[in-house]
Amino acid sequence: MKRLITLVVNKKACEIAVEPNRTLAQVLREDLGLLGTKVGCGIGDCGACTVVLDGRPVNSCLVLAVQVNGSEITTIEGVADGQDLHPVQQAFIEHGAIQCGFCTSGMILSAKTLLEKNSDPAEPEIRAALSGNLCRCTGYQKIVEAVHLAAEMMKK
Ligand code: FES
Ligand code: FES
């Protein structure tokens, strides 16, 4: 039987009726049409489905939507400010940190959360913050450099 839940997604409140076994990733993608959240493994290994839940990056494929009733969620669609990209998005583009793009939403949300807590992270801190986000294309170096660049951009 469906349950009615309330979420604030990308600063907009919404009420949705969901089956108790639906994951947050399914609800975001299939019910709310937010296809920027990717699903790779579906079992918590790859981080492609990362969203920010009440200020923390989580694997949305492992979270049931009914568990997060009343929560605030940011997906990649909520990161830019209108037409202005977030510095992390801009830095990923400028630094060639995107190839196929499948990991990118999750990487950007993990990196943005890190930079909101630590405005000048050292490389090991960046690598640790992104350790739950797997990328099969870039070799990670460009991503780490893009996060450094984003940190510089955010200071200005
Ligand atoms: S799809 Fe969620 S961790 Fe891989
Ligand atoms: S850019 Fe392809 S998986 Fe990261």
Side-chain angles (χ1 to χ4, degrees):
M1 194 168 94
K2 288 190 173 182
R3 293 202 210 146
L4 199 60
I5 62 169
T6 306
L7 301 173
V8 177
V9 181
N10 299 332
K11 302 200 166 91
K12 275 193 215 141
C14 49
E15 222 177 41
I16 328 164
V18 295
E19 299 285 354
N21 62 350
R22 292 200 26 105
T23 66
L24 179 59
Q26 287 173 317
V27 168
L28 291 170
R29 288 177 54 83
E30 295 163 19
D31 298 346
L32 298 179
L34 297 169
L35 299 176
T37 301
K38 304 301 181 204
V39 176
C41 65
I43 55 170
D45 283 340
C46 73
C49 64
T50 302
V51 299
V52 180
L53 172 67
D54 293 332
R56 278 186 315 123
V58 297
N59 291 330
S60 61
C61 72
L62 292 184
V63 177
L64 293 175
V66 290
Q67 289 178 304
V68 297
N69 186 15
S71 297
E72 189 162 341
I73 292 150
T74 304
T75 70
I76 192 67
E77 289 87 349
V79 170
D81 180 10
Q83 295 298 308
D84 296 328
L85 292 179
H86 187 278
V88 177
Q89 293 174 302
Q90 195 62 47
F92 268 57
I93 293 169
E94 285 180 20
H95 227 76
I98 303 170
Q99 288 188 29
C100 80
F102 205 81
C103 70
T104 307
S105 305
M107 285 285 183
I108 285 176
L109 288 163
S110 293
K112 176 177 175 292
T113 309
L114 168 70
L115 294 177
E116 283 164 0
K117 292 185 183 139
N118 179 352
S119 61
D120 194 15
E123 179 163 339
E125 292 173 310
I126 296 173
R127 289 187 181 270
L130 301 181
S131 61
N133 296 88
L134 304 186
C135 177
R136 21 172 212 189
C137 306
T138 64
Y140 300 98
Q141 190 57 35
K142 295 257 181 216
I143 290 174
V144 171
E145 289 168 9
V147 178
H148 276 302
L149 176 62
E152 291 306 310
M153 291 162 82
M154 287 170 76
K155 281 183 206 156
K156 287 178 191 159

